Amino acid sequence: MKLFTIFSVAAMFVCGVAVAQPPDCPWRFVTGHWTSTDDTGEVTDVVWELSGENALIGHWKGVDGKSTALIGWRSDKKQFVSTGYGPNGEYWEIICNDVSKSMLKGKVFHRMADGMFRKGTIQLTK
């Protein structure tokens, strides 16, 4: 039993170190409260929370109610990509190529609750 316990603790330590986020991990600055403004002037609040090691969950509160999104980091392209879903069939994809610790800026493709589609730009500020 002692050997099993020692092995389990050692395995947890090794796995924890292998998957731990590095100090420069993008998730460290993205978590928290942000304000989104799109090119139509609509302002929406979002709070990003860690979801495991590789993504964040965003809780959006805007004009149409509450929505949820998953955001991930494309390390080879240096961009954040978010896919979100809201009430009444609403969904969107955001690709941010302009990234800093206090701003994410990029393009949005949005299917609105009324069934209309819109392409535009979006900026999120912390």
Side-chain angles (χ1 to χ4, degrees):
M1 183 67 175
K2 270 185 168 179
L3 184 58
F4 177 75
T5 303
I6 291 170
F7 177 78
S8 297
V9 171
M12 288 184 337
F13 176 74
V14 169
C15 290
V17 170
V19 298
Q21 296 173 352
D24 62 345
C25 178
W27 308 131
R28 296 202 188 284
F29 77 87
V30 177
T31 56
H33 180 265
W34 291 69
T35 301
S36 162
T37 307
D38 67 19
D39 55 353
T40 68
E42 184 175 338
V43 177
T44 309
D45 291 322
V46 60
V47 176
W48 295 105
E49 301 173 331
L50 285 170
S51 175
E53 296 288 330
N54 301 309
L56 297 174
I57 296 290
H59 304 283
W60 295 74
K61 186 175 181 185
V63 176
D64 296 332
K66 295 181 180 178
S67 302
T68 304
L70 177 71
I71 190 171
W73 176 247
R74 292 182 178 167
S75 58
D76 61 332
K77 297 181 179 181
K78 305 293 186 221
Q79 59 187 199
F80 280 102
V81 177
S82 175
T83 303
Y85 302 92
N88 302 315
E90 180 180 12
Y91 65 86
W92 66 89
E93 180 179 64
I94 299 170
I95 299 175
C96 295
N97 290 313
D98 189 355
V99 176
S100 74
K101 293 193 182 234
S102 60
M103 188 216 30
L104 304 172
K105 190 174 181 181
K107 297 187 183 288
V108 61
F109 175 80
H110 189 175
R111 186 217 185 252
M112 296 171 285
D114 64 5
M116 299 298 291
F117 289 92
R118 188 178 67 75
K119 290 182 181 181
T121 59
I122 193 165
Q123 180 171 315
L124 294 99
T125 53
K126 193 166 192 181

